[in-house]
Amino acid sequence: MSILDGFEDRGFEAETFSRTITIAMNHAVEYLWGGALLQAIRAQAPMAKLKVHPDYSDDIPNQLKAGHLSYAVDYNPLPEDQFSSIALAHEKLTLICSADHPKANSGFDIADFETLPQASLLRRSEWIRSKNSRRHTPLEYLMGEELPNRNVVVQVASFLSIPSIVASTDLIAVVPQQLADPLLQTGALCAHDLPFECPDVVLHLFWHKSRNRDPSHIWLLDLLKDRARVAFGAMPERQ
């Protein structure tokens, strides 16, 4: 039986909904959103289960189309003729350094950004071969060919570890603002604007269009949007 079968029941009631909701997302989104999301799902649908897949899973679009995934959270677009989406969050990227870094008080210019040692996110595995490659990190995706040179000396699999690495070294890094906040509040980190113009990261929730009229999807979409406002402080807008 396909996962999609659970979204085709016409007599939907959250109290008796017992399917597994499968969502692909990166570790940072899982960290910021996962707990609040699970709590909300279980409060309304105590028999439901949640399974979170990494965003580097192979062939996300086809997994959504086949029903192996219910949803995917990503900053890369998916084909609009096949997938619907909402914006979950607009996340600002910030430049961080340890509180005792020589540039902690003065900030960083473009020459500093290009020459000082940096920690960065490891590129994701390639999902599809196209101009819109999913191998890019968020900064690479947003800036494209306009991204300044960088002296990357450490690459890690998740944004989650970068703030603590930077706090204990002479490295700098670019991370989503929310992930830096805990160590910024303790005084272990300092944050500065990037020395160049950069758009916000826009996280979207994607699903296959075949779900659009299913009652359980309509219920779940409202719940996902509500939890996004709590976790990210952003009002999703339908695309």
Side-chain angles (χ1 to χ4, degrees):
M1 180 178 291
S2 167
I3 294 173
L4 281 174
D5 293 341
F7 288 87
E8 294 170 353
D9 297 334
R10 294 302 175 185
F12 172 77
E13 293 182 358
E15 294 81 2
T16 59
F17 181 73
S18 59
R19 299 287 180 177
T20 298
I21 303 162
T22 52
I23 307 180
M25 64 180 74
N26 67 41
H27 295 154
V29 175
E30 181 181 350
Y31 170 77
L32 293 170
W33 196 36
L37 180 57
L38 179 60
Q39 183 182 37
I41 290 173
R42 288 183 59 80
Q44 297 187 35
M47 298 175 64
K49 297 178 181 179
L50 176 66
K51 183 181 289 187
V52 178
H53 292 255
D55 68 340
Y56 52 79
S57 300
D58 291 336
D59 206 5
I60 293 291
N62 280 339
Q63 289 194 53
L64 288 168
K65 185 176 181 179
H68 301 310
L69 279 174
S70 311
Y71 301 95
V73 178
D74 206 345
Y75 50 85
N76 284 277
L78 292 180
E80 293 183 1
D81 61 332
Q82 299 182 49
F83 302 96
S84 297
S85 70
I86 56 170
L88 290 177
H90 293 249
E91 184 67 66
K92 178 184 178 182
L93 294 178
T94 189
L95 180 59
I96 58 172
C97 67
S98 68
D100 58 2
H101 192 284
K103 289 277 190 173
N105 295 323
S106 63
F108 301 85
D109 59 26
I110 192 65
D112 296 326
F113 184 85
E114 293 185 327
T115 58
L116 292 175
Q118 290 194 29
S120 182
L121 191 65
L122 189 68
R123 281 186 171 191
R124 298 186 297 184
S125 299
E126 183 177 2
W127 294 347
I128 55 175
R129 297 180 182 275
S130 71
K131 290 183 179 180
N132 192 27
S133 172
R134 287 180 153 69
R135 289 177 293 172
H136 296 117
T137 66
L139 186 61
E140 290 170 338
Y141 171 73
L142 291 170
M143 295 300 297
E145 295 181 356
E146 300 300 318
L147 179 63
N149 294 323
R150 294 182 293 167
N151 178 20
V152 176
V153 301
V154 175
Q155 290 178 291
V156 297
S158 171
F159 268 130
L160 294 181
S161 63
I162 292 180
S164 60
I165 290 173
V166 170
S168 59
T169 66
D170 65 341
L171 305 183
I172 63 173
V174 178
V175 299
Q177 176 72 45
Q178 276 191 285
L179 293 183
D181 282 344
L183 287 180
L184 288 171
Q185 292 173 10
T186 68
L189 286 179
C190 288
H192 297 276
D193 291 337
L194 297 174
F196 50 86
E197 293 294 325
C198 179
D200 290 347
V201 178
V202 182
L203 287 175
H204 285 86
L205 178 78
F206 294 97
W207 64 91
H208 193 261
K209 285 183 179 291
S210 60
R211 298 191 185 279
N212 281 341
R213 295 185 180 179
D214 293 332
S216 57
H217 164 71
I218 296 170
W219 159 76
L220 187 55
L221 188 59
D222 285 341
L223 185 148
L224 294 171
K225 290 189 292 185
D226 179 71
R227 291 300 91 188
R229 286 193 291 268
V230 173
F232 303 113
M235 176 66 74
E237 298 176 358
R238 185 169 294 278
Q239 302 300 296

